[in-house]
Amino acid sequence: MADDQYKARMQRKKEHIDNRIEEANIDKGIIVLLTGNGKGKSSSSLGMVCRALGYDMKVGIAKFLKGVQDTGEDAFLAKQPNVQTAFMKTGFTWDTQDKAYDTAMAVETWSKAQSYLEDKSIDLVVLDELTYMISYKYLDEQQILDALNNRPKDQHVVITGRAAADSLIEIADTVSEVKDIKHAFRANIKAQKGVDL
Ligand code: ATP
Ligand code: MG
């Protein structure tokens, strides 16, 4: 392509992008939903936590279905003065195999998550693996939607987990599906520090 043609094309592209940026002038708390079967949902939510902490924002993290193993981010987050955490004290449901116990733990973790969603001083709330709480009926779907709808208007929320309910997709502003193309685990590589935990 000739140089002048290329320049004209880039100029049109820049005009288009500048117009779109100008049109996007609404400032509000948004809900980001990260779903799908591929790796990268929880770690992406931690990327947002990193961004928020860089601006001295306050963060509340509720981890549902926390694995039995402690992770690198647990150690990191424990050292952050601007981070509050609520971890469900149970492994995955196939570890505990006790629905009544899992439900009680889910309700307890949700009550902390709900307090974050009512707290104007918290700028970002992470609801890690929340999708399963709805699909396994550990928590009341409507109660979750109400808490999300009634949260402070500038508060951002990120929800992760596979197979998100339609209601979560509807309430979210940004939804990404991480597609599983390949995972090291299937080549018998065990979970690696700094990558998987
Ligand atoms: P991560 O925490 O690494 O961002 P994730 O939140 O997208 O992963 P989860 O479904 O919550 O994925 O699973 C958490 C753990 O399982 C991580 O150790 C991750 O590497 C692993 N994992 C994620 N997806 C897959 C997959 N498709 N096959 C095998 N293991 C997976
Ligand atoms: Mg996850």
Side-chain angles (χ1 to χ4, degrees):
M1 192 189 305
D3 281 356
D4 52 348
Q5 251 181 321
Y6 177 81
K7 196 174 162 116
R9 204 169 108 186
M10 285 303 136
Q11 215 158 18
R12 283 199 301 277
K13 196 175 173 116
K14 183 171 167 21
E15 265 168 39
H16 175 71
I17 293 170
D18 286 349
N19 287 341
R20 286 297 295 122
I21 291 173
E22 210 166 306
E23 276 163 24
N25 57 6
I26 302 167
D27 227 354
K28 74 185 272 280
I30 66 163
I31 299 179
V32 175
L33 173 62
L34 304 170
T35 191
N37 295 337
K39 171 189 160 44
K41 302 172 293 292
S42 297
S43 39
S44 170
S45 74
L46 292 162
M48 284 176 61
V49 168
C50 216
R51 287 181 170 170
L53 293 178
Y55 293 113
D56 294 324
M57 290 160 76
K58 295 216 163 31
V59 178
I61 303 174
K63 275 197 192 188
F64 297 90
L65 292 187
K66 179 176 159 20
V68 278
Q69 213 167 357
D70 279 340
T71 62
E73 72 260 24
D74 295 342
F76 173 80
L77 294 169
K79 291 184 226 158
Q80 302 304 314
N82 282 346
V83 174
Q84 294 179 55
T85 53
F87 295 161
M88 200 162 132
K89 294 182 215 74
T90 175
F92 294 106
T93 103
W94 48 89
D95 287 327
T96 66
Q97 299 169 5
D98 181 344
K99 185 155 187 179
Y101 177 76
D102 283 351
T103 306
M105 290 296 126
V107 168
E108 193 184 311
T109 308
W110 170 250
S111 79
K112 286 210 186 131
Q114 201 164 14
S115 75
Y116 302 156
L117 293 167
E118 287 166 0
D119 186 342
K120 270 195 187 138
S121 75
I122 298 185
D123 304 291
L124 171 66
V125 178
V126 178
L127 303 171
D128 191 43
E129 321 299 348
L130 179 74
T131 58
Y132 306 99
M133 299 298 106
I134 294 177
S135 46
Y136 295 150
K137 300 203 182 334
Y138 287 167
L139 296 175
D140 183 64
E141 182 170 350
Q142 196 53 50
Q143 201 181 1
I144 292 172
L145 297 174
D146 289 346
L148 289 169
N149 274 322
N150 297 327
R151 76 191 195 282
K153 70 172 185 28
D154 294 326
Q155 187 182 70
H156 302 300
V157 178
V158 52
I159 299 169
T160 80
R162 296 177 189 204
D166 290 342
S167 60
L168 287 180
I169 293 174
E170 203 170 309
I171 201 175
D173 301 281
T174 296
V175 181
S176 292
E177 182 174 17
V178 183
K179 187 177 164 193
D180 178 32
I181 292 176
K182 212 175 179 184
H183 196 288
F185 185 69
R186 289 201 289 282
N188 291 335
I189 302 168
K190 64 182 189 186
Q192 297 292 305
K193 282 185 182 169
V195 177
D196 300 297
L197 72 158

